[in-house]
């Protein structure tokens, strides 16, 4: 049987469940237990002699029981981790349309540069006179970030977007305290469509969050902001382009209203990848904005890290930028590590050392290898790809804010699934069977059953066409009432549908050794 692209498919083949294998493996898909289940304390990957007798000097604090770590030989260890890695889905295995997260290709050139011994082997406690090259990378990256955003300075050290938000908001808090308004300005405006980290950041450092209600056109309106502004407002946190995939069309008026009221404009810059080289946030009136290097500048994501979230700051906030930072003294680059050594008034520091050096090298490599024209083209292609998907699906899928062009990501709601018996979650699970990581689901919260798709500029037209065809095929199956294809999905993944609510509410984070068979039977 051939699919729509004329490729052979598995449809109609007998289900794998009808032919269980002895090992539980399914051809190249190897089953893999936890390392604690297969390891033995007696096995080890290295041969070491028993240590000679010695007297412990830990004053009785030394471990008396076996450490309980699993032991495997070297090949067993390698197979364990390689098999696990094969169950994973990443940008290197397929299209990863996770909206807002910008899962773009991580160019191998970036990796090659980051592995140069002069970068990979330096230690944060080395004397700065021995790491001038690393300081130059930080300085040059800073210069590009400041130029691309038209701001005054950048704090490089935050280690993720959310950490960058915290850094930017701490600079705002320091500026307000320096004005003597620390007690009175304690409210932060946050639109309903914001990423959860925005209100969390504001609340974490003691601000009260005042929500800006969502409108049915997906934009934040200046008159709504004006109604909520008062002498108690410290800042607005606004995402632009926003999480509905739209460029905030009143951003300049909003910035002016915020500044007129004596407050600051924090911009969530997670979606900067849509406008790099096209618009400079500084020109739009922002005071602080984090830039997720792992989104816009193609450094790898991974398990929530190791990210990097530098924060650019306007002239009004620059004096409060945290230490450490790179500066030139008598023409030589050096690192200012202590607030007391700074000419300005840093609010403190965000990290033990200088931040994620490996990410700085990768991001700078991306910038230099693309050049200014290349970065601009990447933004344009990201927007073009998202609109290609939007236009190719708009006859089947429903768009919450009408059929209008989007930026780098396209947002659908679940109106089109009404009465099909299929939910956004079911649809996403069925995408796994088709070999795709699902799109971002149920975010932004202001859109019912949201599906946020961000293809990025990495994908070729052929890859987008196959993705579109797969989504259309699923959508038509939902329309025909083929609920089985969705309700039990994923059928082909190593793990089937999990009880995600239970996993979140009562997570079991520790493996406990099952009782031996004989004991269990007693
Ligand atoms: C990703 C993202 C963040 C948080 O960034 P992390 O690097 O994941 O901490 C904040 N806001 C928006 C809109 C995002 O997409």
């Amino acid at each position: 049987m051939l699919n729509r692209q004329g490729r052979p498919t598995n449809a109609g083949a007998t289900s794998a469940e009808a032919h269980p294998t002895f090992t539980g493996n399914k051809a190249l898909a190897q089953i893999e237990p936890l390392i604690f289940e297969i390891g033995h304390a007696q096995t080890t990957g290295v041969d070491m002699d028993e240590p000679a007798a010695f007297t412990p000097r830990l004053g009785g604090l030394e471990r008396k029981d076996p450490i309980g770590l699993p032991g495997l030989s070297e090949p067993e260890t390698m197979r364990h981790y390689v098999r696990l890695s094969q169950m994973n889905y990443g940008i290197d295995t397929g299209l990863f349309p996770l909206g807002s997260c910008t899962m773009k290709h991580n160019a191998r050139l970036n990796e090659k540069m980051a592995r140069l011994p002069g970068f990979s082997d330096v230690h944060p406690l080395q004397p700065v006179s021995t790491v001038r090259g690393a300081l130059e990378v930080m300085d040059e990256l800073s210069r590009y970030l400041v130029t691309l955003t038209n701001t005054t300075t950048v704090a490089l050290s935050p280690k993720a977007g959310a950490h960058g938000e915290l850094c930017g908001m701490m600079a705002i808090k320091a500026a307000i305290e320096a004005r003597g308004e620390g007690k009175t300005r304690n409210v932060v405006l946050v639109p309903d469509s914001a990423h959860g980290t925005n209100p969390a950041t504001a609340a974490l450092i003691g601000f009260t969050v005042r929500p800006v209600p969502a409108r049915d056109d997906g934009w934040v309106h200046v008159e709504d902001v004006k109604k909520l502004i008062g002498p108690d407002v410290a800042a607005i946190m606004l995402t632009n382009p926003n999480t509905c995939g739209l460029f905030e069309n009143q951003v300049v008026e909003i910035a002016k209203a915020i500044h007129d009221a004596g407050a600051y404009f924090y911009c969530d810059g997670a979606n900067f990848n849509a406008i790099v080289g096209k618009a400079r946030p500084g020109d739009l009136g922002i005071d602080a904005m984090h830039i997720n290097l792992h989104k816009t500048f193609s450094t790898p994501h991974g398990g929530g890290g190791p990210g990097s979230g530098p924060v650019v700051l306007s002239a009004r906030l620059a004096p409060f930028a945290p230490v450490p930072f790179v500066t030139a003294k008598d023409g030589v680059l050096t690192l200012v590590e202590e607030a007391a050594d700074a000419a300005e008034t840093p609010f403190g520091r965000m990290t033990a050392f200088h931040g994620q050096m490996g990410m700085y090298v990768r991001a700078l490599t991306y910038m230099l290898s693309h050049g200014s024209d290349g970065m601009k083209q990447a933004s344009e292609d990201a927007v073009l790809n998202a609109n290609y998907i939007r236009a190719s699906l708009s006859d089947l899928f429903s768009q919450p804010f009408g059929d209008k062009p989007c930026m780098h990501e396209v947002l659908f709601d679940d109106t089109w699934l009404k009465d099909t018996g299929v939910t956004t979650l079911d649809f996403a699970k069925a995408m796994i069977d088709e070999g795709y990581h699902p799109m971002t689901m149920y975010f932004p919260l202001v859109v019912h059953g949201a599906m946020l798709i961000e293809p990025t500029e990495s994908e070729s037209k052929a890859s987008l066409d196959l993705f579109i065809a797969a989504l259309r095929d699923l959508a038509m199956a939902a329309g025909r009432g083929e609920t089985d294809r969705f309700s039990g999905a994923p059928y082909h993944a190593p793990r089937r549908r999990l009880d995600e609510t239970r996993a979140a509410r009562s997570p079991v984070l520790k493996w406990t050794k099952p009782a031996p068979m004989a004991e269990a039977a007693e």
Side-chain angles (χ1 to χ4, degrees), residues 445-470:
L445 303 176
V446 293
V447 167
H448 200 270
M451 304 181 179
L452 186 60
I453 301 179
E454 176 174 9
T456 82
E457 72 277 11
S458 308
E459 300 304 324
S460 66
K461 180 161 179 299
S463 149
L464 293 177
D465 284 338
L466 185 58
F467 178 65
I468 289 164

Side-chain angles (χ1 to χ4, degrees), residues 100 160-162 165 195 197-198 239 243 268 270-271 290 292 294-295:
S100 207
E165 286 175 38
H195 195 265
T197 50
N198 292 186
T239 309
T243 60
D268 181 326
N271 296 332
H290 72 262
N292 311 61
H294 48 289
K295 295 181 183 172

Side-chain angles (χ1 to χ4, degrees), residues 5-46:
Q5 284 72 47
R7 300 186 186 185
T9 80
N10 269 336
T14 356
S15 133
E17 266 115 53
H19 295 280
T21 57
F22 174 75
T23 50
N25 300 335
K26 292 174 191 158
L28 299 182
Q30 310 271 315
I31 219 150
E32 190 60 17
L34 297 176
I35 198 166
F36 288 93
E37 293 171 293
I38 50 178
H40 303 279
Q42 314 85 279
T43 315
T44 164
V46 286

Side-chain angles (χ1 to χ4, degrees), residues 380-404:
E380 289 172 354
D381 289 352
V383 173
L384 181 64
N385 282 358
N387 278 288
Y388 183 58
I389 291 180
R390 186 185 59 76
S392 306
L393 295 179
S394 61
D395 58 326
L396 290 175
F397 291 60
S398 47
Q399 297 170 74
F401 307 118
D403 195 5
K404 62 186 175 198

Side-chain angles (χ1 to χ4, degrees), residues 449-505:
M451 304 181 179
L452 186 60
I453 301 179
E454 176 174 9
T456 82
E457 72 277 11
S458 308
E459 300 304 324
S460 66
K461 180 161 179 299
S463 149
L464 293 177
D465 284 338
L466 185 58
F467 178 65
I468 289 164
L471 290 198
R472 291 187 68 86
D473 190 62
L474 284 171
M476 287 185 288
R480 288 192 301 267
E482 291 171 21
T483 48
D484 273 6
R485 184 160 167 199
F486 300 90
S487 57
Y491 293 100
H492 302 295
R495 292 288 175 269
R496 298 287 303 278
R497 185 88 63 114
L498 306 175
D499 184 344
E500 288 166 7
T501 312
R502 203 170 130 226
R505 298 268 155 81

Side-chain angles (χ1 to χ4, degrees), residues 400-421:
F401 307 118
D403 195 5
K404 62 186 175 198
C406 58
M407 295 296 292
H408 60 300
E409 54 195 358
V410 52
L411 178 60
F412 297 109
D413 63 16
D414 62 357
T415 314
W416 66 282
L417 283 172
K418 195 167 172 289
D419 301 328
T420 59

Side-chain angles (χ1 to χ4, degrees), residues 351-368:
T351 60
F353 298 113
H354 51 270
Q356 302 278 25
M357 191 66 215
M359 296 301 143
Y360 301 160
V361 176
R362 288 174 174 90
L364 184 61
T365 305
Y366 174 88
M367 291 175 172
L368 293 174

